[in-house]
């Protein structure tokens, strides 16, 4: 190999290494607070909450902080589930949990199954059940790639929509 080829290869390798380091770098500075600080503030708000709506919002804030962190999807799942137990008919809480865990399909799948199994699909929780079925169908269609489950859940949602 000639000298200019070796030099070109070295420059390309260095550029690629710099790109990889840039992609996996930790987020430093900016407006983002450390996870420990966010969780401490969220836990203080959870303890100080006067009603279930305020407590559910604080639990979702803690869930959002954990969902954004690497390796904390289990903690995010638990915070979201606690919020959904407090207000089972609140579709906005489920939407927030779906958005927070959208990049973690296994955790989202677990959350949605637990949510769908915890409350009846009738009455005031009917809309939340339809939302959960739609989101779970999308998880299987996109993230976990299981077409059969995706179709089955889509059919369940359609049946729920057409029922009385």
């Amino acid at each position: 190999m000639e000298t200019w080829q070796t030099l070109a290869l070295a420059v390309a390798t260095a550029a690629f290494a710099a790109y990889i380091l840039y992609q996996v770098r930790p987020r430093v500075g900016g407006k983002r607070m450390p996870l420990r600080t966010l969780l401490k503030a969220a836990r203080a708000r959870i303890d100080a909450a006067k009603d279930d709506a305020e407590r559910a919002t604080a639990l979702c804030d803690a869930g959002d902080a954990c969902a954004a962190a690497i390796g904390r999807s289990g903690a995010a799942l638990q915070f979201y589930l606690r919020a959904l137990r407090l207000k089972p008919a609140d579709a906005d809480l489920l939407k927030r949990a779906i958005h927070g865990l959208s990049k973690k399909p296994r955790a989202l799948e677990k959350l949605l199954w637990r949510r769908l199994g915890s409350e009846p699909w009738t009455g005031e929780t009917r809309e939340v059940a339809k939302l959960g079925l739609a989101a779970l169908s999308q998880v299987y269609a996109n993230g976990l790639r299981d077409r059969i489950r995706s179709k089955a859940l889509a059919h369940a949602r359609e049946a729920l929509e057409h029922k009385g």
Side-chain angles (χ1 to χ4, degrees):
M1 216 189 272
E2 293 187 31
T3 306
W4 68 272
Q5 289 175 326
T6 305
L7 184 61
L9 183 61
V11 169
T13 303
F16 181 70
Y19 173 75
I20 295 297
L21 287 174
Y22 176 77
Q23 291 296 323
V24 298
R25 77 193 184 288
R27 305 282 181 192
V28 179
K31 296 179 182 176
R32 193 165 177 178
M33 295 173 59
L35 178 63
R36 182 175 292 148
T37 306
L38 289 172
L39 286 178
K40 188 175 181 180
R43 285 192 173 118
R45 286 186 30 234
I46 292 167
D47 293 338
K50 293 178 175 46
D51 62 354
D52 285 347
E54 198 176 321
R55 188 170 290 112
T57 302
L59 285 165
C60 280
D61 290 344
D64 291 344
C66 288
I70 295 173
R72 298 290 301 211
S73 59
L77 172 74
Q78 294 305 317
F79 282 121
Y80 288 133
L81 284 172
R82 284 178 59 194
L84 290 169
R85 275 189 222 115
L86 289 173
K87 299 198 46 106
D90 192 343
D92 290 334
L93 289 180
L94 185 58
K95 287 178 187 174
R96 191 167 170 186
I98 290 167
H99 178 73
L101 293 174
S102 64
K103 302 219 186 237
K104 297 166 175 49
R106 291 278 179 212
L108 181 56
E109 174 194 29
K110 201 178 280 190
L111 175 118
L112 291 169
W113 276 121
R114 286 185 181 183
R115 172 58 197 94
L116 288 169
S118 67
E119 296 289 330
W121 297 2
T122 58
E124 63 183 16
T125 59
R126 182 183 176 122
E127 292 303 315
V128 176
K130 287 195 296 190
L131 177 65
L133 287 169
L136 195 54
S137 178
Q138 287 292 41
V139 166
Y140 285 129
N142 299 328
L144 299 180
R145 308 252 192 259
D146 191 333
R147 287 185 12 213
I148 300 299
R149 287 183 183 181
S150 177
K151 284 183 182 180
L153 291 165
H155 292 311
R157 193 181 94 234
E158 288 172 17
L160 192 59
E161 287 178 1
H162 294 321
K163 181 182 173 188

